[in-house]
Amino acid sequence: MSLVSDTVQTDTVLELIEPSLIDLGYEVVRIRFHSDGRSVLQIMIDRADGADVAVEDCTLVSRTVSVLLDVADPIADAYELEVSSPGLDRPLTRAKDFQIYSGSEARVELKDAVEGRRRFRGRLLGLDGDVVRMVVPLDAVETEFALPFEAIEKAKIVLTDELLAVAQRERTNQG
């Protein structure tokens, strides 16, 4: 299991679709299969060129993945396929995400406690080998933590006013 895929079933889906998506210029950010009244296979993608994911990208990936899954049929039950971009408050699932989003505020939850904690919220400092470094404000003092990448259960960028302002500036400069 990895942060990109969380079950044996989603690991199988990842193995089936990833080569074709890479060929099309996409990276898989996360695959989740969940059921709360209806079964949904959620696939989150990024463009390999770093451009924003557009509706047309999601449509192309959805059609490609549908064909691949129809042929291989790795999921026995009926489900809905949902393809999306990670959004501003994106999950951090790959080691490189922690480097790319260095300087951003993030929430990280560990499988097991490090220094007596499982949950951290603070500023990412990047990746040092296989360790995620982050600064967390504790009692008005910033404390640096070294979190083993393999110990991370889930992580995501925190949606802040600063992040929204940066996104708005980028949208204004592109338009």
Side-chain angles (χ1 to χ4, degrees), residues 88 159-172:
L88 290 177
L159 194 57
T160 62
D161 290 340
E162 181 183 342
L163 184 61
L164 290 170
V166 168
Q168 183 61 41
R169 278 194 303 272
E170 287 176 1
R171 230 178 283 125
T172 302

Side-chain angles (χ1 to χ4, degrees), residues 41-85:
L41 176 63
Q42 178 196 52
I43 299 173
M44 227 176 253
I45 59 166
D46 263 340
R47 289 178 51 123
D49 64 6
D52 289 340
V53 174
V55 172
E56 296 79 17
D57 296 308
C58 293
T59 301
L60 174 60
V61 169
S62 180
R63 288 183 181 145
T64 302
V65 167
S66 290
V67 169
L68 294 169
L69 296 179
D70 285 348
V71 171
D73 201 20
I75 302 172
D77 300 328
Y79 63 91
E80 291 181 34
L81 176 63
E82 182 180 284
V83 176
S84 66
S85 74

Side-chain angles (χ1 to χ4, degrees), residues 30-155:
R30 183 174 74 189
I31 298 179
R32 289 273 160 90
F33 187 75
H34 55 89
S35 182
D36 51 353
R38 63 185 178 103
S39 296
V40 176
L41 176 63
Q42 178 196 52
I43 299 173
M44 227 176 253
I45 59 166
D46 263 340
R47 289 178 51 123
D49 64 6
D52 289 340
V53 174
V55 172
E56 296 79 17
D57 296 308
C58 293
T59 301
L60 174 60
V61 169
S62 180
R63 288 183 181 145
T64 302
V65 167
S66 290
V67 169
L68 294 169
L69 296 179
D70 285 348
V71 171
D73 201 20
I75 302 172
D77 300 328
Y79 63 91
E80 291 181 34
L81 176 63
E82 182 180 284
V83 176
S84 66
S85 74
L88 290 177
D89 58 342
R90 65 179 298 122
L92 303 168
T93 59
R94 303 163 295 183
K96 74 177 191 175
D97 292 340
F98 292 91
Q99 192 63 39
I100 293 169
Y101 295 98
S102 178
S104 298
E105 187 171 341
R107 281 194 186 112
V108 177
E109 188 173 321
L110 304 178
K111 297 170 191 165
D112 298 305
V114 167
E115 297 185 36
R117 300 174 59 117
R118 285 189 59 230
R119 290 181 180 87
F120 299 83
R121 180 177 172 155
R123 186 172 34 88
L124 291 175
L125 298 177
L127 194 63
D128 187 8
D130 60 354
V131 174
V132 173
R133 294 177 27 252
M134 74 185 300
V135 172
V136 177
L138 296 175
D139 300 323
V141 176
E142 288 196 334
T143 305
E144 186 173 329
F145 288 90
L147 310 174
F149 177 75
E150 292 302 318
I152 296 174
E153 186 168 335
K154 60 184 174 182

